[in-house]
Amino acid sequence: MNTTLISLIGKSRLDPHTGYRSARYRYSDGQMREVPFFGMGLKDCIQPDKLILVGTRGSMWDVFFDHQNAGDDILPLIDAVASESVTPDLLVAPAQHLSESFGIPVQCLLIPYAENEAEQAKILLELASAVHPEENIVLDVTHGFRHLPMLALVAARYLKYVRHVQIQDVYYGALEMTQNGETPVLNLGGMLHMLDWIESLAIYERSGDYGIFAKLFEADGMAPERAAMLGRAAYFERSSNPVQARQNLTGAFRHIQQHSGALGQLFSAPLAENVSWFKGESRADWELSLADMYMQRRDWLRAIIFMQEGFISRAIWRQHGDFNSFDERKNALDHWRVASDDFKLLASLRNGMAHGVRPFNENIRRLLLDEEKLAQKLRELRKALF
């Protein structure tokens, strides 16, 4: 898989010859690179297959290319940079010179200043057009305007989902942290992992599928077999098997609470709180809790299924029967569809949604065609049946 380095170019003129002040950048593996432009030292360290230089029409393209010995190709850039009127055409020849010098393709990407939402969106589109699916992307956010690194994090997520690239690392040369003549290089890739967790939490809040956390916990240091329990619990819950879900979730819940991974600790408490339905005393309690949870998420089919099954479990429990018996559940279903109009309506709604065909009953049809009326009716059935 090819690796592409995307590096920002800014406007600093601290040094008339190099623009940025030269610094001795120290990487976590002990490598040292003394350069004014951090991206050039990073290029030597990671040896990318492609380099994309990103800057505005006022970035110090002239000083940068001069420092890279781009020759007379920079002459037209000098006045253009001074008047902040650099155009893409002016960057073609210097980029070609660097391509020949570095032995890899070099592309210059001219972006707006990101002063408003329209310009910020345009930057994302420009970046998307410059990368290809399946590429490994390394971002260097050291130089450039101070607000661009924040946009770079947004761009990282956008490129991941829109262009299907892998954002490998995000680097920042922390000049303000220089000590004893050495400037530390920070890898901000952990922020991307945090965003993975935040996105997963948002997905869970909407869908109820906590199985998406299994791989994240494993990557955060949880033993694979323990993380897998969470995935299995989610599968059984979403396939309407609360008994098997509870068996796996009981163990997974304990492991989540005991987990000491850096990122997992941030999300263990809210996740544990949201999967506590299994603490109910009986299957009827579990199913009713799940029905309520899916009602809140407006996942109506699952809400109806668990509400129906919860009612059946409670009816069998009151008769001191075995609510894990298929035959007893079938008998209870048949009985209550006749004995209770409310349960009959609930069962009919379940069948109408599950089969996706137009019901013969006009009342059922109207409810299934209007989400708000359906929601209100389910709340009424919840109150009447339980």
Side-chain angles (χ1 to χ4, degrees):
M1 186 180 293
N2 289 340
T3 297
T4 295
L5 170 61
I6 300 178
S7 183
L8 300 179
I9 301 274
K11 292 186 64 174
S12 175
R13 295 280 181 170
L14 290 176
D15 187 298
H17 301 293
T18 64
Y20 290 107
R21 188 176 72 197
S22 186
R24 295 183 69 232
Y25 291 103
R26 173 175 46 79
Y27 293 79
S28 59
D29 61 0
Q31 293 189 72
M32 301 286 294
R33 292 291 187 279
E34 184 168 356
V35 290
F37 294 96
F38 174 77
M40 295 302 94
L42 181 60
K43 173 187 70 68
D44 292 340
C45 286
I46 67 172
Q47 297 291 307
D49 301 289
K50 180 181 177 181
L51 172 63
I52 299 177
L53 300 168
V54 179
T56 66
R57 59 183 180 273
S59 293
M60 53 175 164
W61 297 102
D62 53 343
V63 176
F64 171 78
F65 283 121
D66 183 48
H67 189 259
Q68 305 305 318
N69 301 313
D72 294 338
D73 291 331
I74 70 166
L75 296 178
L77 278 172
I78 298 175
D79 291 337
V81 169
S83 60
E84 298 192 5
S85 59
V86 175
T87 64
D89 290 343
L90 293 175
L91 301 173
V92 173
Q96 180 59 37
H97 182 92
L98 288 194
S99 295
E100 297 170 359
S101 175
F102 294 162
I104 58 173
V106 176
Q107 177 182 353
C108 294
L109 192 63
L110 203 60
I111 61 171
Y113 287 105
E115 295 182 38
N116 51 52
E117 189 175 275
E119 289 190 352
Q120 293 157 13
K122 185 176 181 181
I123 291 174
L124 299 187
L125 292 173
E126 294 285 350
L127 288 171
S129 68
V131 299
H132 302 285
E134 309 304 324
E135 282 185 324
N136 265 335
I137 304 296
V138 176
L139 290 173
D140 159 31
V141 299
T142 303
H143 306 308
F145 290 111
R146 292 183 182 271
H147 62 290
L148 289 181
M150 292 185 288
L151 186 59
L153 287 177
V154 177
R157 309 314 280 175
Y158 179 77
L159 295 176
K160 175 182 177 180
Y161 293 116
V162 173
R163 296 298 285 165
H164 305 291
V165 299
Q166 175 66 43
I167 308 300
Q168 180 175 308
D169 291 300
V170 180
Y171 285 99
Y172 174 68
L175 190 63
E176 65 278 10
M177 295 174 63
T178 300
Q179 289 186 351
N180 301 321
E182 294 184 358
T183 300
V185 175
L186 308 182
N187 189 336
L188 306 179
M191 292 185 180
L192 299 179
H193 299 315
M194 292 178 190
L195 289 177
D196 286 335
W197 283 85
I198 293 171
E199 288 174 0
S200 296
L201 187 60
I203 292 171
Y204 165 71
E205 289 291 341
R206 178 61 180 167
S207 69
D209 182 10
Y210 46 80
I212 56 177
F213 288 101
K215 291 296 183 182
L216 293 176
F217 273 111
E218 182 177 342
D220 198 46
M222 183 178 286
E225 62 275 10
R226 293 183 174 183
M229 294 175 71
L230 190 64
R232 287 196 299 271
Y235 166 73
F236 286 122
E237 177 187 316
R238 294 173 66 77
S239 57
S240 306
N241 189 339
V243 176
Q244 289 290 335
R246 183 178 184 272
Q247 289 178 2
N248 284 277
L249 197 50
T250 301
F253 186 86
R254 183 175 65 256
H255 299 318
I256 290 171
Q257 290 185 311
Q258 296 173 349
H259 182 65
S260 60
L263 297 182
Q265 288 187 90
L266 293 174
F267 299 90
S268 296
L271 180 58
E273 181 180 346
N274 281 281
V275 297
S276 59
W277 61 262
F278 73 93
K279 292 184 177 181
E281 295 182 0
S282 69
R283 175 169 176 166
D285 294 332
W286 312 334
E287 289 166 331
L288 185 56
S289 294
L290 286 168
D292 291 340
M293 289 170 57
Y294 283 111
M295 284 267 286
Q296 292 176 1
R297 296 187 176 97
R298 304 179 75 84
D299 187 340
W300 305 120
L301 178 56
R302 286 194 173 89
I304 290 171
I305 289 173
F306 281 117
M307 194 183 301
Q308 175 180 297
E309 298 304 316
F311 181 86
I312 291 173
S313 295
R314 179 166 295 188
I316 295 174
W317 175 76
R318 285 174 174 169
Q319 297 296 321
H320 305 287
D322 179 6
F323 44 53
N324 293 320
S325 165
F326 176 84
D327 290 335
E328 289 196 42
R329 298 189 74 83
K330 177 65 167 59
N331 291 337
L333 172 64
D334 294 339
H335 169 76
W336 285 103
R337 289 186 68 173
V338 175
S340 169
D341 289 339
D342 289 327
F343 183 79
K344 179 180 179 180
L345 175 57
L346 182 65
S348 297
L349 287 171
R350 181 264 179 202
N351 290 340
M353 293 198 79
H355 297 298
V357 297
R358 180 173 177 173
F360 291 111
N361 185 294
E362 184 63 20
N363 182 41
I364 300 296
R365 188 183 72 83
R366 284 198 301 268
L367 288 172
L368 294 179
L369 289 176
D370 189 321
E371 184 177 11
E372 292 309 316
K373 288 183 179 178
L374 175 65
Q376 178 60 33
K377 179 55 67 175
L378 289 178
R379 286 192 288 268
E380 293 173 2
L381 291 174
R382 166 69 168 84
K383 185 177 181 180
L385 293 171
F386 296 93

